Amino acid sequence: MTEHASRLQAFMATIEKRNPHEAEFLQAVREVADTLLPFIDQHPTYKDYNILERMCEPERVVIFRVPWVDDQGRYCVNRGYRVQMNSAIGPYKGGLRFHPTVTLSVLKFLAFEQVFKNSLTTLPLGGGKGGSDFDPKGKSDHEIMRFCQSFMNELSRHIGAFTDIPAGDIGVGAREIGYLFGQYKKISNEFTGVLTGKGLDYGGSLIRTEATGYGVVYFANEALTARGDSLEGKKCAVSGSGNVAQYTIEKLIQLGAIPVTVSDSAGFVHDPAGIDESKLAFIKELKNIKRGRIDEYTHHVKGATFHPDTTPWNAPVDLAFPCATQNELPEKDAHTLIKNGCKGVFEGANMPTTEEAYQVIRHHKLLFTPGKASNAGGVATSGLEMSQNAQRMSWTRDEVDYRLKMIMKSIHGNCEKFGRQEDGMIDYVKGANIAGFVKVADAMIAQGHV
Ligand code: NDP
Ligand code: 2IT
């Protein structure tokens, strides 16, 4: 075993002992420690202050019961969480996820990643994440509203515009944020920017809806340009059909690429002719309004095929944009992408690539950008929403879009600064982890052992 491998193993043993069986959280920590431990060895101050181990321990975790009544009058119960991971550089900030797969491990991994991501945005945002194992699928609007109100009855004690500012994530979009905001306002009797992703009529920011997907494509564009390449004419596989996938597809179309897939948890659609703006409008209506299944796309578009229980990584493409969920791109699919000539993987989701798949991608020197860098445009624009709320102003669409573009450019610059390799290539994983870490670590040192 190399010295690095045994050091990583020893570090992980400490973290595993404290967080047994938390597979997703341990996966996220291992990936970060793998690149940070050598950096920390070169900068012994961070070792002396034991910063990385301290960053693995959430500042606070709240777990609570969420009681609600369904449309048939049945008494239902779910579990709610908020993981307040790190507030060294700003108030806790991060989304809420409503999905049956939500566990403490999943939310701790997301909160851990969020700390690095938020640091990269250049804005003063700490890291957190929350949610519930509630499944919004098939629920009526009234059931969603009652659930959100009950969830907020407890969450409201732990958040605030200067303490912790939640937003959306899987299963939490404009509708849910509206109900959550309404209930917070009723409980607190205050109209504050306590949530982001709000509707435009009540404190939301232009471009926040589009920001994560647009940011992913701005970042991919920067990374391709740095390699002397471009998005023009590239066939792209996109997974998911929710918020991030929709606006990734939209920006890909605008920048001359050809998105050819879209998916949901039942399988993927392959449209070799390319998804254009009118087909995308169909997807948005299907998913955001009718809340239907993605296979309906093939009833609407001639030549498109649906592949049940299969990932989009089986379609022949030049570039891949995983935008659905964690560990959705396994090793087998990484081999398939490479066999088909894929040149780059840009993460829109959080940790969509498994550890094994990442090793394959790295070995074959594909361009790879980790979610904490490439999907940071969403939370960055949430930060811009907070600034507008604090100023009691609304910026124009162009202004917010320009700032988003500049933030993605700056994140790219930071990845370049800390991730430039001897062969001239940029290691975005290393760059993002180190750049995200340094700012938080320095702030933690300055603030004492709290
Ligand atoms: P949405 O709820 O809008 O969409 C999620 C999409 O992913 C749906 O198409 C859903 O399909 C699919 N999906 C969910 N779970 C699975 C699964 N287990 N297997 C296959 N497909 C699945 O969520 P978002 O678009 O907001 O989030 C997508 C990803 O992007 C997540 O990883 C999230 O953490 C990340 N992200 C989101 C940001 C945001 O601003 N919203 C910001 C940064 C990252 P189905 O409908 O069948 O469930
Ligand atoms: O993963 C993420 O960065 C998000 N879900 C967005 C968080 C936010 O606070 O906007």
Side-chain angles (χ1 to χ4, degrees):
M1 198 187 274
T2 63
E3 202 183 318
H4 169 67
S6 67
R7 180 139 153 59
L8 179 61
Q9 198 179 59
F11 178 78
M12 287 309 300
T14 316
I15 306 300
E16 279 161 25
K17 191 161 173 229
R18 195 175 284 145
N19 306 277
H21 318 303
E22 294 189 354
E24 295 84 2
F25 177 59
L26 294 170
Q27 180 185 341
V29 172
R30 197 178 308 112
E31 184 241 43
V32 164
D34 188 29
T35 49
L36 278 181
L37 290 175
F39 175 79
I40 290 171
D41 282 341
Q42 290 159 10
H43 300 81
T45 311
Y46 298 133
K47 204 169 172 174
D48 295 345
Y49 282 98
N50 197 19
I51 296 292
L52 189 56
E53 188 182 334
R54 286 164 60 192
M55 281 177 72
C56 293
E57 194 56 26
E59 289 179 16
R60 185 178 299 106
V61 177
V62 189
I63 300 184
F64 51 95
R65 180 202 287 171
V66 189
W68 59 283
V69 179
D70 74 9
D71 288 347
Q72 284 71 46
R74 284 183 295 237
Y75 289 80
C76 305
V77 66
N78 283 92
R79 185 172 291 177
Y81 305 83
R82 187 71 182 165
V83 178
Q84 297 181 330
M85 200 72 183
N86 195 303
S87 62
I89 64 167
Y92 309 109
K93 179 84 194 90
L96 296 171
R97 179 177 290 191
F98 291 170
H99 196 270
T101 56
V102 163
T103 60
L104 182 58
S105 169
V106 166
L107 295 178
K108 277 170 68 178
F109 118 65
L110 289 163
F112 184 73
E113 291 283 286
Q114 199 82 45
V115 172
F116 292 83
K117 184 195 304 190
N118 292 4
S119 166
L120 283 169
T121 63
T122 70
L123 304 173
L125 303 169
K129 202 87 187 190
S132 174
D133 58 0
F134 173 73
D135 187 358
K137 270 203 199 85
K139 302 289 192 297
S140 70
D141 279 355
H142 283 120
E143 288 173 326
I144 298 286
M145 181 175 77
R146 286 196 294 276
F147 178 82
C148 287
Q149 291 175 340
S150 178
F151 183 83
M152 186 51 87
N153 284 343
E154 176 63 33
L155 186 70
S156 61
R157 304 167 198 260
H158 312 287
I159 61 174
F162 297 99
T163 310
D164 185 351
I165 305 92
D169 193 80
I170 293 177
V172 178
R175 174 182 59 169
E176 291 74 18
I177 293 291
Y179 294 147
L180 291 163
F181 182 77
Q183 188 69 359
Y184 183 87
K185 184 163 62 69
K186 183 176 172 73
I187 294 166
S188 64
N189 197 27
E190 272 180 6
F191 194 112
T192 64
V194 66
L195 292 158
T196 60
K198 299 185 291 297
L200 297 177
D201 297 330
Y202 57 95
S205 172
L206 288 160
I207 298 286
R208 175 60 190 93
T209 307
E210 297 88 338
T212 310
Y214 279 15
V216 171
V217 181
Y218 291 151
F219 197 83
N221 199 30
E222 290 287 329
L224 284 162
T225 306
R227 278 206 175 181
D229 205 345
S230 83
L231 281 164
E232 188 71 41
K234 296 285 192 305
K235 283 200 170 145
C236 303
V238 178
S239 66
S241 46
N243 174 270
V244 181
Q246 290 171 17
Y247 291 97
T248 294
I249 291 173
E250 184 160 296
K251 192 49 81 177
L252 283 173
I253 298 169
Q254 288 172 9
L255 296 190
I258 309 163
V260 294
T261 72
V262 66
S263 73
D264 64 17
S265 50
F268 90 97
V269 167
H270 187 204
D271 183 355
I275 301 170
D276 60 18
E277 277 176 16
S278 86
K279 294 173 187 174
L280 177 61
F282 174 84
I283 296 171
K284 285 184 187 171
E285 160 117 4
L286 175 69
K287 283 290 170 181
N288 307 348
I289 297 163
K290 293 189 185 148
R291 302 188 188 271
R293 307 306 298 162
I294 202 63
D295 62 336
E296 287 180 43
Y297 182 99
T298 58
H299 311 155
H300 174 77
V301 176
K302 263 210 198 98
T305 48
F306 180 66
H307 305 260
D309 301 320
T310 314
T311 59
W313 324 127
N314 290 283
V317 291
D318 305 307
L319 305 172
F321 292 80
C323 295
T325 193
Q326 66 272 7
N327 292 326
E328 55 159 321
L329 197 171
E331 184 178 1
K332 162 174 82 60
D333 288 350
H335 285 296
T336 308
L337 282 170
I338 290 161
K339 189 175 73 132
N340 286 331
C342 177
K343 297 279 184 295
V345 176
F346 309 93
E347 292 189 335
N350 287 305
M351 205 170 75
T353 312
T354 66
E355 286 175 288
E356 297 77 16
Y358 171 60
Q359 292 311 329
V360 172
I361 287 167
R362 189 173 141 135
H363 178 74
H364 286 84
K365 294 191 174 355
L366 261 67
L367 187 48
F368 178 86
T369 67
K372 64 178 75 104
S374 38
N375 75 31
V379 73
T381 307
S382 279
L384 300 178
E385 182 172 329
M386 288 162 65
S387 302
Q388 293 169 78
N389 291 165
Q391 289 183 326
R392 304 192 188 287
M393 296 267 290
S394 292
W395 301 338
T396 63
R397 196 180 159 86
D398 283 351
E399 163 108 42
V400 182
D401 194 31
Y402 175 76
R403 285 179 189 255
L404 168 63
K405 237 182 248 167
M406 288 305 113
I407 289 171
M408 298 318 290
K409 218 180 176 46
S410 141
I411 297 173
H412 189 272
N414 256 320
C415 289
E416 197 170 359
K417 178 172 167 196
F418 291 100
R420 179 73 78 183
Q421 301 294 97
E422 278 169 10
D423 63 4
M425 297 293 172
I426 302 168
D427 180 341
Y428 288 89
V429 172
K430 182 177 168 194
N433 284 341
I434 297 177
F437 172 78
V438 167
K439 187 170 159 189
V440 176
D442 291 348
M444 285 174 75
I445 292 170
Q447 292 171 30
H449 197 23
V450 293

